[in-house]
Amino acid sequence: MEANASVDMFSKVLENQLLQTTKLVEEHLDSELQKLDQMDEDELERLKEKRLEALRKAQQQKQEWLSKGHGEYREIPSERDFFQEVKESKKVVCHFYRDSTFRCKILDRHLVILSKKHLETKFLKLNVEKAPFLCERLRIKVIPTLALVKDGKTQDHIVGFTDLGNTDDFTTETLEWRLGCSDILNYSGNLMEPPFQSQKKFGTNFTKWEKKTIRGKKYDSDSDDD
């Protein structure tokens, strides 16, 4: 009997909270509608113009991004091109890859999708064999590595799949979340709740580049097929 009473009480509390939330939303909507009703024609016209101007600016920004190579996942031929590309765009993700590393191909599939979704970010790939100076400068030793560049400076790295749930089967949403944690793209979800909820031990505490164990070869692979 006591258990049933507790369940009923919990249900009533939950129902009351839902009613209160609904009431607050309705009151907010009523307030906004009242403001619109009280506006004169000049105020409505100014509001309309303000929204149209915001749309125009958004469209102009979109066209500017597209003109700079955003909206697609592209390979660049050399490290010289890397410096030019990051100079042109505020946010850049560059995948340092090697053909023989199968985990690079896994990343490729996800980056193609994200490049089309997040026009605000430029997505590139560069073969490490063609960029020895850049790999030395950025301390890239493990493949694959994503260099996250903001305002022309490398802010963060994603090395291997450790930050992505430590699995080859991570989702595009997981990579999107991890990139969002570095503010290299506009993430609309909750950064405190990673998509791989079943592996919460990773949370938002990433292995920083400085603490990464670097093995002996010139370019170590994070995959097992090398």
Side-chain angles (χ1 to χ4, degrees), residues 109-125:
R109 294 198 298 270
H110 296 293
L111 293 170
V112 166
I113 295 169
L114 291 177
S115 68
K116 298 180 186 304
K117 180 178 180 181
H118 290 279
L119 295 184
E120 73 277 8
T121 304
K122 180 183 286 184
F123 288 83
L124 306 171
K125 63 186 296 188

Side-chain angles (χ1 to χ4, degrees), residues 8-215:
D8 289 341
M9 183 178 294
F10 176 76
S11 297
K12 288 179 180 179
V13 169
L14 183 60
E15 182 179 356
N16 185 55
Q17 288 178 338
L18 289 171
L19 287 172
Q20 290 294 327
T21 302
T22 302
K23 184 178 179 181
L24 288 172
V25 171
E26 289 177 347
E27 288 176 353
H28 177 72
L29 288 173
D30 288 341
S31 175
E32 292 298 313
L33 288 172
Q34 188 176 5
K35 287 180 182 177
L36 287 173
D37 288 339
Q38 292 174 349
M39 283 185 177
D40 58 30
E41 290 186 8
D42 289 340
E43 288 176 319
L44 286 171
E45 189 61 31
R46 284 194 294 272
L47 179 61
K48 180 181 176 182
E49 279 298 320
K50 187 175 180 180
R51 289 180 176 175
L52 286 173
E53 180 61 23
L55 287 172
R56 281 194 290 267
K57 286 183 178 179
Q59 186 61 27
Q60 288 173 358
Q61 179 65 84
K62 179 180 177 181
Q63 292 304 317
E64 181 183 345
W65 282 331
L66 292 174
S67 71
K68 292 179 178 178
H70 293 229
E72 59 179 330
Y73 177 47
R74 299 181 289 117
E75 179 162 9
I76 52 177
S78 70
E79 46 195 9
R80 178 179 294 181
D81 295 276
F82 173 86
F83 291 110
Q84 182 59 39
E85 294 280 0
V86 300
K87 188 187 300 182
E88 289 179 352
S89 300
K90 181 179 178 63
K91 297 180 178 182
V92 179
V93 174
C94 187
H95 175 199
F96 286 86
Y97 81 99
R98 185 170 53 188
D99 284 327
S100 60
T101 303
F102 87 96
R103 281 183 175 157
C104 292
K105 296 176 175 61
I106 294 174
L107 268 181
D108 283 341
R109 294 198 298 270
H110 296 293
L111 293 170
V112 166
I113 295 169
L114 291 177
S115 68
K116 298 180 186 304
K117 180 178 180 181
H118 290 279
L119 295 184
E120 73 277 8
T121 304
K122 180 183 286 184
F123 288 83
L124 306 171
K125 63 186 296 188
L126 178 58
N127 191 323
V128 293
E129 305 298 340
K130 297 180 180 180
F133 167 77
L134 195 53
C135 288
E136 182 69 24
R137 177 171 172 175
L138 299 181
R139 300 179 186 177
I140 293 173
K141 299 290 184 181
V142 177
I143 303 302
T145 286
L146 295 182
L148 313 184
V149 186
K150 193 173 180 181
D151 296 320
K153 297 180 180 179
T154 304
Q155 304 284 354
D156 197 3
H157 297 83
I158 300 177
V159 183
F161 292 173
T162 303
D163 293 347
L164 305 172
N166 213 25
T167 174
D168 292 349
D169 298 324
F170 67 88
T171 63
T172 303
E173 289 73 24
T174 296
L175 178 56
E176 182 181 27
W177 163 81
R178 174 61 181 87
L179 293 171
C181 289
S182 294
D183 193 31
I184 207 69
L185 53 73
N186 299 335
Y187 185 70
S188 59
N190 185 351
L191 291 174
M192 299 307 294
E193 295 182 5
F196 46 88
Q197 289 299 316
S198 62
Q199 301 178 50
K200 286 185 178 179
K201 63 181 180 178
F202 292 102
T204 53
N205 297 315
F206 309 121
T207 303
K208 294 298 183 183
W209 176 255
E210 292 78 12
K211 297 180 182 178
K212 197 73 179 179
T213 300
I214 296 178
R215 291 165 281 177

